[in-house]
């Protein structure tokens, strides 16, 4: 599959429904959807259980979002398994490990220490599974429809997270957390079955021995490249800081936090839909910088405390800027040699998740000493500063493409 996305592409000839007619993509998409739903339900159930047992806000927050910190461990150690010669088998094995972990959470009376240990293990395997799934995605769909496929998966991820929390809240009114864990395990098992029956093995891959050495070699090459490093910074830091802003909605206005979160979810879904479906690859690249600015700039309004409807509109517009992830991911893919695409996308995803946790932690820490509105505006300003200061490096990265001779091995610089 061609790695060069530098040439302007015509609008995709297929829509979401046509893309889903690709049996292999449909399998990857369905398993991804089931996995997100299972993770959301299990995280909510664990947070509820920990809150009931301890009453600690800190432990409750860690139980719900601690897996995002474990994801970075996968990125630093064994993410090279995402580009192994048997990716389907790898994904099935990782799904099996996830199923065992979620099912273990359903055991009544399991000590909290064991539950937190399982949480870290699950986060580790989830990050490897994400890298493997994204590596398969680049091979299952044509380059011209890659952004469309990622757009659909991003929309689904956000939508399933919102729906999962809503359904989880209803379920926990009638069921125990252990029973909700059972439902999450069933969803995970369904995702495993879908992968096993729809995804085919990739015999065209080079035989590579995954492991710590291979992971570090590829990561070193990835981070030593100025262009790709700038892309990763733009994919991680601005997004993470804005997630930190959103983490303060409850502290800023407890009675309106739900409305703010709903506005943000709606804006994110609309942005991904519009950018992924309506714009060509060239148009996405040209609008990427403006989208990154849009992601942060409206949040500065929180410093002056305008009426709630104004802030809701600002959050809606800002969240549409999350769609800047799509052109940045396309650009990163264009600069990535074929044999390490799964690992690089896994590192990107794990880093983005980790920075969301870091952003929330930074925001919460600052809000202990300053007003939430001030902290939200400050984090938004820093996000804008990161976007502006790294723009020259991102622009230079567009001029560097992976040549045919570089596609068989990780880049050396």
């Amino acid at each position: 599959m061609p790695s060069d996305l530098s040439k302007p592409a015509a609008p995709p000839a297929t829509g979401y429904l046509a893309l889903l007619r690709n049996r292999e993509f449909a399998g990857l998409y369905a398993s991804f959807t089931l996995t997100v739903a299972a993770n959301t339900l299990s995280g909510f159930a664990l947070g509820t259980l920990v809150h009931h047992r301890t009453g600690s806000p800190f432990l409750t927050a860690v139980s719900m979002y601690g897996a995002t910190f474990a994801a970075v461990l996968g990125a630093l150690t064994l993410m090279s398994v995402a580009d192994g010669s048997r990716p389907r088998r790898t994904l099935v094995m990782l799904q099996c490990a996830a199923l065992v972990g979620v099912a273990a959470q359903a055991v009544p009376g399991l000590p909290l220490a064991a539950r937190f240990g399982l949480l870290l293990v699950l986060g580790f395997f989830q990050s490897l599974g994400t890298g493997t799934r994204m590596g398969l995605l680049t091979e299952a769909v044509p380059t011209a429809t890659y952004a469309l496929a990622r757009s659909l998966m991003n929309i689904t991820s956000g939508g399933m997270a919102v729906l999962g929390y809503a359904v989880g809240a209803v379920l926990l009114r009638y069921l125990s957390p252990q029973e909700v864990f059972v439902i999450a395990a069933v969803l995970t098992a369904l995702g495993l079955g879908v992968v096993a029956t729809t995804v085919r093995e990739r015999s065209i891959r080079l035989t590579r021995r995954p492991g710590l050495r291979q992971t570090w070699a590829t990561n070193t090459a990835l981070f030593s490249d100025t262009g790709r490093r700038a892309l990763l910074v733009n994919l991680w830091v601005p997004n993470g800081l804005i997630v930190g802003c959103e983490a303060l909605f409850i502290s800023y206005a407890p009675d309106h936090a739900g409305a703010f979160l709903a506005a943000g979810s709606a804006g994110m879904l609309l942005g991904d839909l519009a950018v992924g479906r309506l714009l060509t690859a060239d148009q996405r690249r040209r609008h990427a910088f403006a989208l990154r600015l849009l992601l942060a700039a409206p949040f500065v309004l929180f410093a002056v405390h305008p009426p709630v409807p104004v802030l809701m509109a600002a959050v809606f517009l800002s969240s549409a800027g999350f769609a800047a992830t799509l052109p940045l991911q396309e650009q990163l893919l264009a600069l990535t040699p074929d044999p390490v695409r799964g690992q690089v996308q896994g590192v990107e995803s794990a880093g983005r998740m980790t920075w969301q946790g870091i952003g929330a932690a930074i925001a919460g820490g600052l809000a202990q000493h300053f007003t939430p509105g001030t902290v939200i505006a400050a984090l938004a300003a820093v996000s804008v500063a990161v976007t502006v200061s790294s723009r020259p490096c991102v622009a230079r990265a567009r001029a560097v493409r992976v040549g045919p001779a570089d596609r068989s091995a990780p880049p050396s610089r």
Side-chain angles (χ1 to χ4, degrees):
M1 185 177 67
S3 292
D4 193 349
L5 299 176
S6 61
K7 297 179 181 179
T14 58
Y16 291 130
L17 291 178
L19 189 61
L20 288 170
R21 295 190 188 102
N22 177 331
R23 182 172 181 269
E24 194 167 10
F25 171 76
L28 288 170
Y29 172 74
S31 67
F32 172 76
T33 302
L34 291 166
T35 298
V36 172
N39 292 343
T40 303
L41 284 179
S42 62
F44 197 41
L46 182 59
T48 301
L49 187 150
V50 171
H51 177 71
H52 286 166
R53 286 194 186 181
T54 68
S56 167
F58 174 74
L59 290 178
T60 300
V62 170
S63 68
M64 292 185 67
Y65 298 104
T68 63
F69 292 101
V72 75
L73 298 178
L76 294 175
T77 55
L78 296 178
M79 190 60 77
S80 57
V81 302
D83 295 302
S85 60
R86 303 289 295 275
R88 175 188 174 276
R89 183 180 64 178
T90 299
L91 186 56
V92 168
M93 292 175 62
L94 291 171
Q95 287 282 106
C96 287
L99 175 58
V100 172
V102 175
Q105 292 282 16
V107 175
L110 191 69
L112 286 183
R115 293 189 183 279
F116 279 106
L118 283 171
L119 180 70
L120 293 177
V121 171
L122 285 172
F124 178 82
F125 285 124
Q126 286 166 9
S127 68
L128 300 182
T130 298
T132 305
R133 185 177 283 107
M134 292 302 104
L136 283 164
L137 177 65
T138 63
E139 299 168 358
V141 301
T143 302
T145 58
Y146 171 78
L148 193 68
R150 286 303 297 260
S151 169
L152 182 58
M153 297 181 85
N154 289 348
I155 290 171
T156 301
S157 178
M160 288 305 300
V162 174
L163 182 61
Y165 284 129
V167 172
V170 173
L171 289 176
L172 287 169
R173 295 183 62 181
Y174 304 98
L175 304 176
S176 68
Q178 284 78 12
E179 291 172 319
V180 175
F181 282 130
V182 171
I183 295 175
V186 170
L187 294 174
T188 304
L190 290 174
L192 169 61
V194 170
V195 167
T197 56
T198 61
V199 178
R200 66 184 178 88
E201 202 62 90
R202 293 286 168 175
S203 60
I204 62 171
R205 291 189 177 195
L206 297 176
T207 300
R208 303 169 64 245
R209 174 174 290 183
L212 182 61
R213 177 180 294 181
Q214 181 61 51
T215 299
W216 275 83
T218 300
N219 285 350
T220 299
L222 173 63
F223 289 106
S224 64
D225 183 286
T226 304
R228 278 174 287 186
R229 189 167 62 242
L231 290 172
L232 290 174
V233 168
N234 273 264
L235 281 160
W236 294 349
V237 181
N239 286 26
L241 293 174
I242 298 307
V243 170
C245 294
E246 295 175 344
L248 295 181
F249 284 164
I250 294 178
S251 299
Y252 179 85
D255 296 336
H256 303 292
F260 290 152
L261 289 170
S265 297
M268 181 183 67
L269 296 180
L270 180 62
D272 277 325
L273 178 63
V275 172
R277 183 69 185 92
L278 302 180
L279 302 183
T280 67
D282 183 61
Q283 289 171 331
R284 284 190 291 271
R285 281 193 296 272
R286 286 191 281 109
H287 290 91
F289 179 68
L291 286 169
R292 294 199 297 275
L293 293 180
L294 178 65
L295 174 64
F299 275 98
V300 177
L301 288 175
F302 276 82
V304 296
H305 308 288
V308 169
V310 175
L311 289 178
M312 286 181 61
V315 172
F316 175 84
L317 290 173
S318 172
S319 296
F322 278 115
T325 300
L326 287 173
L328 291 173
Q329 288 171 334
E330 281 185 295
Q331 196 170 341
L332 181 64
L333 184 67
L335 298 173
T336 302
D338 291 350
V340 295
R341 282 182 163 187
Q343 177 175 339
V344 170
Q345 290 184 96
V347 169
E348 182 272 318
S349 177
R352 190 154 33 89
M353 291 173 62
T354 301
W355 259 98
Q356 290 174 5
I358 292 173
I362 292 173
L366 291 175
Q368 297 286 338
H369 307 284
F370 305 97
T371 64
T374 300
V375 175
I376 290 173
L379 291 180
V382 174
S383 179
V384 170
V386 171
T387 294
V388 172
S389 62
S390 60
R391 187 184 188 187
C393 292
V394 173
R396 285 196 296 271
R398 296 176 184 173
V400 182
R401 299 297 172 192
V402 178
D406 298 325
R407 292 176 185 165
S408 61
S412 59
R413 66 190 182 93

